[in-house]
């Protein structure tokens, strides 16, 4: 005997599989639009891309309202890039889910490094190549294809509330993101938020992203002299700014390369196996050069803080003369462990630098930029539902993963919708090369991700209000 649930699920499964060719054709059409939000590129393309996405969302037949909208960029008189907003109200006490992705893409970079033109979708060896083919136009199409499958399988018998927010400037700093959320808070409020902008463990194994490190970045100017002097005349009697900077920066790390700043915290959690050989292969670590840090390799990347000097203003090698430099500026970029507010981490690093300023060097901090880390409530019912849907969609159990980088706008989501459970999912795999030449989408991963999301939406649609906390 076939239960109602299993016949419903097989209808959803069949509809999800049947919709893949159309979803890939629509994804190809989106990839052809070079929707780069940087001002140096043709901004009309971002408008075209928003309109194309709005038409796809409208075409699902599920929404009461679909529009292209822009929000102000706080602190400026500019507006952000066009985003797509869609709303369908929940009925009969069912939950509402907010589906997020972004339709802008990274610039293509050097086109000569691509195996096929970046805005010409091309299938090779089971992968679809093109800028945005993975990050994040495939995220948009995973949402659209899952919604189409739901509609095809269940018709009008859907009570789930669905909101969509497809951003147009994620790669360009999400400058109007927070304002967009507050402008449309009523339309976007949801019980569960699916952020489809991350990746999977590998081509076959799904992953739920359960933590993201935060970041704290600032410019530091180190001054020791009011003006430059001849190093032959005064060298050895007064400190030049480079000497002070080198000694100061050195104090940030322990001998093993881990951070030596009091007040920076680490997060405690288990990590999957990942060996040194893989780390060497993926980073190009040179023979004879050792990794840094301690603890499991993934704990160093996901759960511990790190500090990197990413820029320096000093006399260039070509222009070097026998001079004591009066000042040096550096950019210090820290990754903040989940659980610690980014501002607190910045203050710990700044206090450390002040306490370690060699010879009383003058320090000035500017351009401070902080983004908070994120930890998913992994015990929440939505995370449980998502893991089950991944297991059924991919045929293998998912891995909980952390991400060493950050998705700064997640902090905006948490602030605006503190009661929502946030699920960070995605269509990428370790070979997707997002942001690089030859970005690509693994087609089987995409198929499984669409099925996963269709099953998740179908199960959310059956979740009654009483059983929701
Ligand atoms: Zn992205």
């Amino acid at each position: 005997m076939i239960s109602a649930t299993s016949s419903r699920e097989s209808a959803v499964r069949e509809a999800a599989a049947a919709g893949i060719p159309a979803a890939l054709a629509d994804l190809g059409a989106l990839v052809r639009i070079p929707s780069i939000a940087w001002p140096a590129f043709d901004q009309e393309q971002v408008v075209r891309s928003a309109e194309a996405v709005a038409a796809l969302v409208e075409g699902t037949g599920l929404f009461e309202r679909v529009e292209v909208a822009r929000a102000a960029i706080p602190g400026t008189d500019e507006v952000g890039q066009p985003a797509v907003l869609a709303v369908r109200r929940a009925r009969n006490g069912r939950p509402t889910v907010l589906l997020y992705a972004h339709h802008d893409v990274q610039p293509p970079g050097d086109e000569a490094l691509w195996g096929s033109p970046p805005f010409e979708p091309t299938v090779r060896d089971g992968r679809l190549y093109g800028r945005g083919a993975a990050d994040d136009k495939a995220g948009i199409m995973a949402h659209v294809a899952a919604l189409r499958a739901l509609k095809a399988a269940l018709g009008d018998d859907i009570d789930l509330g669905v909101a969509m927010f497809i951003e147009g400037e994620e790669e360009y700093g999400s400058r109007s993101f927070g304002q967009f959320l507050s402008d449309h808070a009523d339309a976007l409020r949801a019980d569960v938020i699916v952020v489809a902008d991350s990746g999977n463990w590998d081509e076959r194994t799904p992953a739920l992203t359960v933590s993201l490190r935060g970041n704290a970045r600032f410019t530091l100017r180190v001054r020791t002299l009011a003006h430059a002097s001849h190093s032959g005349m005064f060298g050895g009697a007064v400190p030049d700014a480079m000497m002070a900077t080198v000694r100061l920066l050195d104090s940030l790390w322990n001998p093993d390369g881990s951070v030596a700043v009091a007040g920076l915290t680490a997060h405690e959690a288990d990590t999957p196996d990942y060996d040194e050989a893989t780390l060497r292969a993926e980073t190009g670590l040179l023979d004879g050069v050792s990794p840094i840090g301690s603890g499991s390799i993934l704990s160093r990347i996901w759960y511990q803080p790190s500090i990197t000097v990413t820029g320096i203003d000093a006399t260039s090698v070509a222009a070097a003369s026998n001079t004591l430099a009066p000042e040096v500026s550096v950019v210090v970029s820290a990754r903040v462990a989940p659980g610690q507010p980014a501002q607190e981490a910045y203050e710990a690093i700044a206090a450390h630098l002040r306490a370690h300023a060699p010879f009383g060097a003058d320090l000035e901090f500017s351009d401070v930029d902080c983004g908070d880390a994120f930890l998913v409530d992994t015990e929440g019912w939505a995370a449980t539902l998502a893991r089950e849907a991944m297991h059924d969609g991919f045929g293998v159990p998912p891995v909980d993963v952390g991400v060493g980088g950050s998705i700064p706008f997640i902090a905006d989501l948490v602030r605006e919708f503190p009661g929502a459970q946030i699920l960070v999912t995605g269509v990428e795999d370790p070979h997707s090369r997002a942001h690089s030449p030859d970005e690509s989408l693994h087609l089987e991963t995409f198929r499984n991700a669409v099925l996963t999301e269709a099953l998740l939406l179908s199960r959310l649609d059956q979740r009654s209000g009483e059983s929701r906390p």
Side-chain angles (χ1 to χ4, degrees), residues 102 104 135-136 170-171 196-198 428 435:
H102 62 88
D104 67 306
D135 181 14
D136 186 27
E170 196 276 339
E171 306 290 7
D197 195 19
S198 188
E428 292 174 28
H435 298 203

Side-chain angles (χ1 to χ4, degrees), residues 314-361:
T315 309
S316 70
V317 169
S321 63
N322 296 329
T323 304
L324 300 174
E327 68 173 69
V328 169
S329 290
V330 294
V331 173
V332 177
S333 171
R335 296 291 176 179
V336 181
Q340 180 162 46
Q343 182 68 29
E344 182 184 296
Y346 162 69
E347 282 161 16
I349 298 167
H352 171 101
L353 290 168
R354 284 195 196 94
H356 289 77
F359 319 111

